[in-house]
Structure formats: C-alpha cells, structure tokens
Amino acid sequence: MSPAGASPVHGDLLYEGKAKRVFASDRVDRVVVEFKNDATAFNAQKKAQLDDKGRLNCQISARLFELLEAKGIPSHYVGLVSDTWMVVQRVEIIPLEVVLRNVATGSLCRQTPIEEGTAIEPALLDLYYKDDSLGDPLLTEARVKLLGLVDDTQMTAIEGLARRINAVLVPFFADLDLQLVDFKLELGFNADGQLLLADEISPDTCRFWDRRSSDAQDRILDKDRFRKDLGGVMKAYGEVLKRVQSACPEPRKSL
Ligand code: TMP
C-alpha cells in the first residue's frame, strides 16, 4: 500500500470532475480515482478548498461500498490504495443523477409546498440530467425516454438498485444515530454490460441529520454546512467517518 495520501502508480489523467480525478491504471478494465479537497456548490458557483475532505470522503465511500457489496449490491469499487485514492472498475457513467429522498428538504422544498422535514414513504426517486452546462435539470420519465438515456428495462434496474441501496443505508445509519435524509447516486455499465453503483457515497452526496442533536442547524453533518455557510464542515464529515468506522471493518487494499 502507498503511504497515507501518497499518489499511487497510475497512468494518464482521463477525467477531472469537481471532486475527483480519474486516472488510467495498468489494467484496461480499471481506473484509479483521487478524491480532491475541492468543494463546490450551486453548480460550482461557490468554491473552496477544504483540508482533508478528500480523505474523509474516500474513507467513508470505501466502507459504504463494501457494506453494500456484502448485501449483494454491486459497485465499481475494487479497493483502497491510500487515504485519498481508490481503484475502481472502469464504467461508462449514465448521465443521470439519481436522488432518493426519505425526508423533504433542499430543492424539493424550494420547488413544492411540501414542508421541510416531512417524512416521505416510500422514498421519492428524482432523476436529474447530469450536465453542468444545463445546471443538472430535473427530468421526467418521459424526458429520460425522449433523450434515450436508458431503456425501460435499464430504468427499472436503476430504480430497483437505488431502492435496495436506500433499504440498506437507512437502517445502517439509523443505528449510528444518523438520519439519512436524502442522497444522490451515479451508476454506470462496465465492459460486461453490468449495472454498477459508481461515483461516491459521502457527506458530499448525502444529507445526514444527527439524531443526537435537536437543533436544526447543529444536526446537519453534510455538505449543507458548506452550502449554507454554517461552518464546521470538516468536523461534521469527520463525525460521519468516526461513526461509520465504528460499524465497519478496515477497507481492503488494492495494489
Ligand atoms: P437537492 O435537494 O439539492 O436536490 O439535493 C438532493 C441530494 O442530492 C442531496 O443529498 C445532495 C445531493 N446532491 C449532489 O450530490 N449533487 C448535486 O449537485 C446536488 C444538487 C445535490
């Protein structure tokens, strides 16, 4: 294993996103992902460097991918390389952001009269078109079809996978006194055409409310602290990692 945070052996930079860089590896079917400290919100109109964010999100994601794998949910995750790097299967990302909402907040409450904090049962599945130049707009199923992003069978599989992930994560986090309010998933197909969970699962892509706090601001342990200028962003992410670590084994290493 590389020393903590050190850059592993990797090939060319293939893609740079807002929070991660993707590099070629020595295998065509795998890539190496570096989690960055860059934080963005509101389609990158707001930017900051948050020391240690890359490590926290990489370490939280690795444990959650392994937890989901143990429950039969396939992901692109292969193994950790160091504190901020992981090896993943190369996938073609479906340009959909799949959001599951268990509790109403965020854009749902800005765009509808549903009151903040309303429980949503069964969880609401919202689809967004992954395109920064368009501001990741909310889609309808008819628009997904019109754009030819996925066919009906694939859409059914995506929704099924997203709901299974929710069914694993909600009780997992509840046991850690964390309410999984909502989260965003990205999925992709590997070279064999298998549908895999991809990207990351972290406080950048989930909302967590701390059940140990009754204060509406103090309880926020996710990127909303950055979006809303609440401070203590990395302290909150660190608390999420601490609780996740308490329930998960050390992630496996990949050479
Ligand atoms: P929203 O309420 O702003 O639509 O966000 C829903 C969930 O998706 C929330 O957990 C945050 C996450 N999310 C992302 O991961 N990336 C994004 O670009 C946005 C807008 C939300």
Side-chain angles (χ1 to χ4, degrees):
M1 181 188 163
S2 309
S7 161
V9 176
H10 60 75
D12 293 342
L13 177 67
L14 301 174
Y15 170 79
E16 177 153 8
K18 292 196 284 281
K20 295 183 287 301
R21 292 189 190 93
V22 179
F23 296 87
S25 77
D26 52 359
R27 287 178 53 153
V28 286
D29 58 342
R30 289 182 179 178
V31 293
V32 199
V33 176
E34 179 191 15
F35 285 68
K36 303 193 291 185
N37 288 337
D38 300 352
T40 65
F42 315 119
N43 204 11
Q45 290 174 60
K46 178 170 179 171
K47 289 185 195 176
Q49 280 286 309
L50 297 178
D51 253 10
D52 210 29
K53 182 171 85 79
R55 181 185 70 88
L56 293 165
N57 282 351
C58 182
Q59 295 299 313
I60 292 166
S61 288
R63 286 166 176 80
L64 296 178
F65 284 140
E66 291 193 16
L67 168 81
L68 290 166
E69 181 185 270
K71 304 279 185 184
I73 294 164
S75 80
H76 69 162
Y77 172 80
V78 175
L80 273 180
V81 182
S82 68
D83 278 0
T84 57
W85 292 76
M86 63 172 65
V87 177
V88 304
Q89 288 191 52
R90 189 191 283 258
V91 296
E92 183 154 346
I93 294 283
I94 302 164
L96 284 177
E97 299 202 340
V98 179
V99 170
L100 259 282
R101 300 180 191 272
N102 297 302
V103 178
T105 190
S107 67
L108 179 63
C109 293
R110 289 197 303 276
Q111 295 166 354
T112 73
I114 297 171
E115 228 177 284
E116 171 95 14
T118 307
I120 308 171
E121 173 71 49
L124 176 68
L125 182 128
D126 278 335
L127 299 170
Y128 296 83
Y129 188 37
K130 185 174 154 61
D131 186 324
D132 284 341
S133 68
L134 297 174
D136 297 340
L138 180 63
L139 293 173
T140 60
E141 280 204 29
R143 287 185 183 197
V144 172
K145 217 174 244 183
L146 184 71
L147 290 168
L149 299 177
V150 286
D151 63 29
D152 286 351
T153 312
Q154 290 168 336
M155 193 61 245
T156 304
I158 289 167
E159 173 156 4
L161 199 58
R163 291 195 181 278
R164 279 167 62 208
I165 291 166
N166 195 40
V168 172
L169 293 184
V170 166
F172 170 77
F173 283 114
D175 282 348
L176 303 175
D177 285 341
L178 293 171
Q179 185 170 21
L180 180 60
V181 172
D182 57 26
F183 58 98
K184 184 261 300 182
L185 301 172
E186 295 187 25
L187 302 112
F189 293 104
N190 67 9
D192 298 330
Q194 190 191 5
L195 180 67
L196 299 177
L197 170 64
D199 193 48
E200 65 182 278
I201 305 183
S202 73
D204 266 14
T205 61
C206 303
R207 286 193 175 100
F208 300 112
W209 289 351
D210 187 359
R211 291 182 190 273
R212 296 174 193 167
S213 168
S214 53
D215 182 87
Q217 291 196 348
D218 286 353
R219 70 182 176 184
I220 296 173
L221 295 181
D222 57 69
K223 197 165 140 183
D224 270 354
R225 299 204 73 83
F226 173 68
R227 296 188 187 99
K228 299 177 177 192
D229 292 320
L230 298 178
V233 186
M234 287 305 94
K235 186 163 174 265
Y237 283 41
E239 181 63 25
V240 173
L241 176 59
K242 198 172 104 190
R243 293 193 202 178
V244 168
Q245 268 174 326
S246 74
C248 294
E250 273 298 297
R252 60 177 176 260
K253 301 297 183 282
S254 175
L255 292 178

